[in-house]
Amino acid sequence: MFPKETYIARRKTLLEKMSLSAPEGKRGIALFLGNVEAAAQYKDNAYKFRQDSSWLYYFGIDEPRFAAVIDLDGGEETLFADDVEIGDIIAALLDIPEGKLEAKASEALIKAVISMRLVKEECEIAQLDDAGALGQEMHTVGRENIRLGIVEQEIVGKMEACTLAKGWGVSFATILTQHGEILHNHGHDNIVEPGRLMVIDAGAENNMHYASDYTRTYPTSGKFTPKQKEIYQIVCDCNELAFSLTKPGIAYRDVHIATARLMLEELKSLDIVRGDVDAMVEAGIAGLFQPHGLGHNMGLDVHDMEDLGEDLVGYDSDQKRSKQLGLGSLRMARRLVPGHVVTDEPGIYFIPALIAKWKAEKTDNGFVNYAKLEKEYLDFGGIRLEDDVLVTADGARRLGPGRLPILPDDVEWA
């Protein structure tokens, strides 16, 4: 836990925000539910316990079966342990028979929580740096253990051992795959083969439950082929551009669009796409090659607070989600302010089924050179490169003690 004063101050700020959100004054109670253990096979054999992140943020108690309420009118706070059921708590507070209870989420309360958790305090930034150090260590172990002929699972086991030895564990299920064209591939049963690309998307959660999330892509044989290096360099350039643009005042949606433009410019130089780049950006052609957003918020959750509503967390009130593939999946579009923590994770993937679909439906408006894609890239796989970034007063910095190797010459080995 942080010092108790941290949690007292956060709850006081929440009360103030709720007062401002209701001109007629604060109303009702705010209910916070800690998590309970979930049975794996039977009650006494539970999955590893992970506390609710908003509960940790406001109360800090990392044990199951706790709940709390804050009276938004009077300011009184009440903590409940496991001697009563949560239905009893709510019913008693509201003087409603439990069978007739109908609880509804408060959007004002959700927005107040989001506004606080989005901007990280100095004590949280220190924890994110710590989680970054552990995440970088697990990735270093991963890179050092890529060897032809072994099963991917062996690499994953050694990586995840780091997180259990020095932290809580992984911040999400590890992605380690030679099929990077499958964006969330959690299978690890393939043999490491020569000439492939190994995408490793993995992160650590430290003992205070703050997350890291890094992605690197490696040549399984130690050296990129010329074609692999060309595409890798484009992704590397996009990662660097995104970081250079990240600063207070800019919308992360605009950073996504800028990296999409650069990606299309460089794919055009390889004759993979053809035509006016601005027109391609407008038409959403980048989505064929990167069908996901540039990044997401990160903190106590690796996709921070998305249980509270992805659009509420990632979009300002005057922003609307795009319907384009790729841009429409952008989880963080907000105008950046100091204290935001976002991921910078561009990628290029050659997904045979998606390429065939776009070709059949003429989605590309004539911009895509399918002849070259079908001849040279259908068995390519994918490349993603991801860093964790803190928005500062005058720009941004990457989290963690250093930076994982990322330039193509630096990730190769003999």
Side-chain angles (χ1 to χ4, degrees):
M1 292 177 65
F2 295 123
K4 67 178 183 180
E5 290 77 14
T6 298
Y7 304 102
I8 293 170
R10 288 172 177 174
R11 295 195 298 269
K12 181 181 178 182
T13 300
L14 181 63
L15 275 171
E16 293 169 352
K17 284 180 173 288
M18 289 304 294
S19 178
L20 292 172
S21 71
E24 73 281 6
K26 293 170 282 188
R27 300 292 182 190
I29 61 171
L31 171 65
F32 293 88
L33 300 177
N35 283 339
V36 299
E37 292 176 320
Q41 294 91 2
Y42 52 91
K43 182 179 179 181
D44 293 328
N45 185 24
Y47 290 107
K48 185 178 181 182
F49 175 73
R50 179 28 164 107
Q51 183 60 281
D52 175 78
S53 293
S54 288
W55 173 269
L56 287 172
Y57 184 82
Y58 288 106
F59 297 94
I61 302 172
D62 195 10
E63 297 291 337
R65 301 186 65 78
F66 277 85
V69 293
I70 301 175
D71 184 334
L72 298 177
D73 295 301
E76 294 87 0
E77 301 173 350
T78 306
L79 184 71
F80 298 89
D82 63 356
D83 55 340
V84 293
E85 295 295 326
I86 191 59
D88 299 328
I89 296 169
I90 302 171
L93 286 166
L94 301 181
D95 195 24
I96 298 173
E98 187 176 345
K100 297 182 180 180
L101 180 65
E102 183 179 352
K104 294 184 178 179
S106 164
E107 185 169 311
L109 178 59
I110 291 171
K111 288 181 176 178
V113 171
I114 290 171
S115 70
M116 292 180 65
R117 285 183 56 190
L118 268 179
V119 179
K120 275 41 180 190
E121 303 162 85
E122 286 300 321
C123 60
E124 294 183 282
I125 293 168
Q127 293 299 321
L128 287 161
D129 276 326
D130 180 65
L134 188 51
Q136 290 174 8
E137 181 177 339
M138 74 182 294
H139 271 265
T140 300
V141 168
R143 180 190 177 207
E144 291 174 347
N145 281 278
I146 297 174
R147 298 190 306 276
L148 299 179
I150 69 169
V151 180
E152 294 166 341
Q153 182 177 350
E154 295 182 45
I155 308 171
V156 175
K158 292 175 181 179
M159 292 175 64
E160 295 190 355
C162 295
T163 71
L164 291 169
K166 299 183 179 181
W168 183 86
V170 296
S171 55
F172 59 97
T174 298
I175 298 168
L176 185 147
T177 179
Q178 296 163 89
H179 288 281
E181 74 279 8
I182 303 173
L183 295 187
H184 293 95
N185 189 347
H186 297 292
H188 305 133
D189 57 349
N190 289 314
I191 302 295
V192 178
E193 300 175 353
R196 304 292 296 277
L197 292 168
M198 178 74 79
V199 176
I200 304 180
D201 186 344
E205 186 169 315
N206 76 351
N207 286 323
M208 287 285 286
H209 296 296
Y210 284 84
S212 60
D213 183 3
Y214 296 104
T215 308
R216 290 295 186 266
T217 304
Y218 301 106
T220 58
S221 297
K223 297 289 184 183
F224 292 111
T225 68
K227 184 168 64 175
Q228 288 172 343
K229 184 171 281 192
E230 287 176 336
I231 301 300
Y232 185 98
Q233 187 63 60
I234 296 174
V235 180
C236 194
D237 292 345
C238 289
N239 175 282
E240 191 62 39
L241 175 66
F243 178 73
S244 71
L245 294 174
T246 299
K247 60 184 178 181
I250 190 170
Y252 213 52
R253 181 183 189 276
D254 293 336
V255 179
H256 173 109
I257 292 171
T259 61
R261 177 176 285 105
L262 177 62
M263 181 184 298
L264 290 168
E265 287 173 352
E266 298 197 21
L267 289 174
K268 181 179 177 179
S269 71
L270 298 178
D271 197 33
I272 292 173
V273 294
R274 296 170 173 174
D276 181 75
V277 172
D278 287 337
M280 283 190 270
V281 172
E282 183 69 23
I285 302 304
L288 175 61
F289 306 100
Q290 183 187 295
H292 63 74
L294 177 65
H296 52 80
N297 291 293
M298 198 180 69
L300 279 165
D301 308 317
V302 69
H303 283 197
D304 211 22
M305 295 179 285
E306 288 184 7
D307 59 322
L308 300 180
E310 190 176 310
D311 285 356
L312 288 175
V313 173
Y315 285 74
D316 289 318
S317 59
D318 61 347
Q319 294 176 321
K320 293 192 180 298
R321 187 180 289 266
S322 170
K323 295 182 180 179
Q324 290 181 349
L325 183 64
L327 181 57
S329 297
L330 180 62
R331 298 174 182 270
M332 173 53 167
R334 285 179 179 266
R335 296 172 188 87
L336 300 175
V337 302
H340 279 166
V341 172
V342 296
T343 61
D344 168 8
E345 51 179 305
I348 292 178
Y349 318 86
F350 297 96
I351 306 170
L354 184 59
I355 292 169
K357 185 175 187 292
W358 273 43
K359 181 180 180 181
E361 297 176 358
K362 296 181 170 55
T363 307
D364 68 297
N365 296 330
F367 290 118
V368 176
N369 183 356
Y370 290 109
K372 183 158 189 172
L373 284 181
E374 292 169 344
K375 181 179 180 181
E376 300 183 26
Y377 290 94
L378 290 187
D379 62 350
F380 183 93
I383 293 172
R384 181 165 63 255
L385 300 171
E386 176 183 18
D387 294 311
D388 302 335
V389 177
L390 168 70
V391 182
T392 62
D394 57 357
R397 75 167 175 87
R398 297 181 179 96
L399 289 165
R403 192 183 186 197
L404 290 166
I406 194 169
L407 296 175
D409 291 344
D410 292 337
V411 302
E412 291 181 323
W413 62 90

